Amino acid sequence: MNNFQKLGLSPSIIEVLDQLGFENPTPVQEKAIPMLLGEDPTDFIGLAQTGTGKTAAFGLPLIDLIDQNSKATQALIMAPTRELGQQTGQQLSNFAQNNKSVNIEVVYGGAAITNQIRALKKPTQIVVATPGRLLDLIKRKAIKLDNVKYVVLDEADEMLNMGFKEDIDEILSHTLENRVTWLFSATMPPEIRRIVKKYMEAPLEVSINAQEKSNKDISHKYVVTKTSNKISALRRFMDIQPDMRGIMFCRTKRETQQIADDLGNLGYGVEALHGDLSQGQRDSVMKRFKTRAMQLLIATDVAARGIDVNDLTHVIHHTLPDQLESYTHRSGRTARAGKKGISLVFINPREDRKIKALEKRINISFEQIEVPALEDLRSSRINNWANLIINTKVDEQSEAILNELHEQFAHLNKEDILKRLITTQLDHLMIQKGESSNLNASEEGSSESKTRSKTGFHRYFINIGAIDGMTKPDVLHFLSDISNVDRKFFGEISLQKNCTFFDLDDKQDQGFSQKFNGIEVKGRELRVNRDDEGNKRSKPSYSRDKVRGKRRQPRSDVNRSRAGRR
Ligand code: AMP
């Protein structure tokens, strides 16, 4: 027996659930569905986050409650983003596949409104919409809300975070007094309470304890590493777990794109998703992500809202969000529908207290883990390579090729051949020279610099960065021009917002920093120092205010100011 049957759903819905493989209701479905199907329509609050099955919790009753003989719009579902709206629309269409006369339309901003106006001319009993576009459609009289009996506010806290407060107020003012409102939210900030008070009457409330549900399935972990090492550390996690598939959250669009570009250039299957991409670009990124054409989606919080992709093994936080509540939303992208998942946070040594604050605030506990050491990485790569060879299905063409090569290999035994094969793979199996073994930051902290000096490099800091309009090649040219040190002596360059870290061959160490003394960039004194010369590096000498609005041109500007000093 399908366990949804006892919740009061119609046989046609149960049949669909059987086809979809939904056998057991999730906790929010078990509690909400009987309430929403009750004799008297009721206002309802569901405290549940994505991944708990909330779409079916309101979607299944909705399809049963719709009057299929009426062509009027009877249900309105508001969602914060286009992605969430589309996913909700898709799920509802699946649920309604046995009820052909139920029509569902999804409308959202960033796409041609004319097509949506045309689509809404057909009978549409359920409309899923983002608030801004819905308001637009109401104003153009393309949608009539006077028969709407059910309003669903999905991810209500996210809609408020995104500034849809006034839009929601206005939309609700266009609906009937006697409609019911079902509100779903992961958190209950005061603004949501205000909506509840203003628009709902004696709502029934179901709270799916986030800790109970998701934290059981999500393991929360963190690593402590210097900001400049975060990407190297991430690469090690990706290398050591080739099956990893997930989303990494960054804070800014620029950082998101930069990290995706850097990792992409190194051959990793990653792509960026942020608000500067056109809707078409975002759609194709999401399509590739869903079809598993990439390993990691690098995204901003806003762009990744509502993404519903199952089977993500990891959610990675390149930087913790400003609002700790967003952590719940981010990490809820993994461990969906009963699966396990890992939420991995990268923090720098100064952010320790943020982890403690998170633990207290959302009642979870974190485990500190280490960045994989080079040695582990090396043995993992060697193992993977060996397994690849052992498990490769032999192609029939290989026989003929082997015959051709037989003579050439005749003087080599198995060991000789393997050694030669390994040599051809050295770049892949070994670790690049100059890479530090230990990327974990501790109070002693300077393990990296020590290792670098052993391998012939020192790490340096300069107080120019992306905010000055610099790219990595710009920084390299600039450093080389000013210091008269050939570019070949520079190693890895890590461009940050306000500053840049770079490696310099230690034979060029002598007097290197001093070559930058007295040079100014538009009134700001340049500072270059070794990263292991204490904490000077972490505090660029200029204030943000001074450079705001005066994005510096790379190189040409700097050279000019130097020339002026000569
Ligand atoms: P949601 O929280 O609504 O975004 O749902 C998360 C995912 O779980 C979706 O892909 C649903 O299709 C799936 N799902 C929801 N409820 C069930 C259920 N009772 N059994 C199996 N899968 C479910």
Side-chain angles (χ1 to χ4, degrees), residues 4 17 20-29 48-58 60 84 87-88 91 94-95 154-155 306-310 333 336-338:
F4 276 92
L17 294 176
L20 294 175
F22 283 30
E23 284 169 14
N24 297 306
T26 65
V28 68
Q29 291 161 0
Q49 56 196 75
T50 42
T52 54
K54 66 179 168 56
T55 316
F58 66 77
L60 298 174
L84 181 66
Q87 284 153 15
T88 303
Q91 285 208 55
N94 291 342
F95 300 150
D154 196 5
E155 300 207 356
I307 287 180
D308 173 24
V309 178
N310 283 340
R333 308 287 161 215
R336 297 166 73 82

Side-chain angles (χ1 to χ4, degrees), residues 267-541:
Y268 289 88
V270 300
E271 284 192 56
L273 184 76
H274 53 69
D276 279 354
L277 303 181
S278 71
Q279 200 59 61
Q281 286 171 317
R282 285 169 63 164
D283 284 348
S284 53
V285 170
M286 278 314 296
K287 201 163 158 205
R288 285 193 290 278
F289 188 49
K290 284 183 178 164
T291 54
R292 298 169 173 270
M294 75 180 91
Q295 197 181 4
L296 209 58
L297 182 72
I298 319 260
T300 56
D301 286 273
V302 175
R305 267 182 194 140
I307 287 180
D308 173 24
V309 178
N310 283 340
D311 302 332
L312 297 184
T313 59
H314 284 72
V315 163
I316 297 173
H317 311 257
H318 176 266
T319 335
L320 275 172
D322 289 330
Q323 286 173 331
L324 293 185
E325 280 71 23
S326 301
Y327 179 84
T328 313
H329 280 285
R330 286 181 173 188
S331 48
R333 308 287 161 215
T334 184
R336 297 166 73 82
K339 302 247 169 62
K340 303 266 177 235
I342 291 173
S343 172
L344 176 63
V345 184
F346 287 97
I347 59 162
N348 66 42
R350 285 183 299 274
E351 290 176 314
D352 206 25
R353 60 184 171 77
K354 286 198 183 168
I355 292 289
K356 295 206 174 72
L358 258 182
E359 287 187 319
K360 228 169 118 187
R361 183 86 142 263
I362 42 181
N363 192 21
I364 50 173
S365 49
F366 275 92
E367 177 197 354
Q368 183 175 0
I369 58 167
E370 302 268 294
V371 182
L374 278 190
E375 298 68 37
D376 299 335
L377 206 59
R378 196 169 155 273
S379 50
S380 150
R381 281 185 192 167
I382 291 172
N383 255 326
N384 288 343
W385 181 71
N387 284 333
L388 183 76
I389 293 183
I390 293 162
N391 297 322
T392 294
K393 204 165 154 245
V394 175
D395 191 291
E396 51 193 32
Q397 298 179 60
S398 59
E399 183 81 44
I401 297 174
L402 186 63
N403 282 338
E404 277 177 47
L405 294 173
H406 221 61
E407 289 273 288
Q408 270 167 278
F409 284 114
H411 65 293
L412 298 173
N413 63 26
K414 180 172 151 190
E415 199 164 305
D416 290 332
I417 294 177
L418 268 176
K419 279 186 193 156
R420 283 165 171 77
L421 254 180
I422 289 168
T423 309
T424 65
Q425 293 295 313
L426 275 187
D427 272 356
H428 169 68
L429 297 176
M430 312 295 273
I431 311 298
Q432 299 116 317
K433 290 188 192 81
E435 192 172 333
S436 167
S437 174
N438 182 9
L439 294 182
N440 298 293
S442 62
E443 280 75 38
E444 290 87 51
S446 60
S447 57
E448 180 186 79
S449 299
K450 281 182 205 143
T451 325
R452 284 197 187 284
S453 60
K454 255 189 246 153
T455 53
F457 281 97
H458 277 305
R459 179 140 268 220
Y460 274 81
F461 159 90
I462 182 166
N463 61 343
I464 50 176
I467 202 167
D468 301 295
M470 292 293 232
T471 62
K472 281 190 195 182
D474 287 335
V475 176
L476 178 61
H477 281 283
F478 172 64
L479 292 169
S480 169
D481 283 358
I482 302 279
S483 62
N484 275 328
V485 170
D486 195 286
R487 275 178 264 158
K488 71 178 180 213
F489 293 110
F490 292 88
E492 196 189 313
I493 294 183
S494 168
L495 186 70
Q496 312 284 306
K497 192 169 165 194
N498 292 330
C499 65
T500 303
F501 296 95
F502 59 94
D503 286 348
L504 178 71
D505 190 313
D506 59 9
K507 286 193 257 341
Q508 303 297 324
D509 226 20
Q510 195 65 35
F512 180 80
S513 300
Q514 289 71 35
K515 293 179 182 170
F516 295 81
N517 285 352
I519 296 180
E520 287 182 4
V521 182
K522 290 194 180 162
R524 166 159 58 91
E525 195 177 325
L526 274 188
R527 282 200 315 111
V528 173
N529 33 52
R530 278 252 301 268
D531 193 29
D532 49 358
E533 286 171 357
N535 61 5
K536 281 179 270 175
R537 64 173 179 81
S538 58
K539 292 199 177 71
S541 65

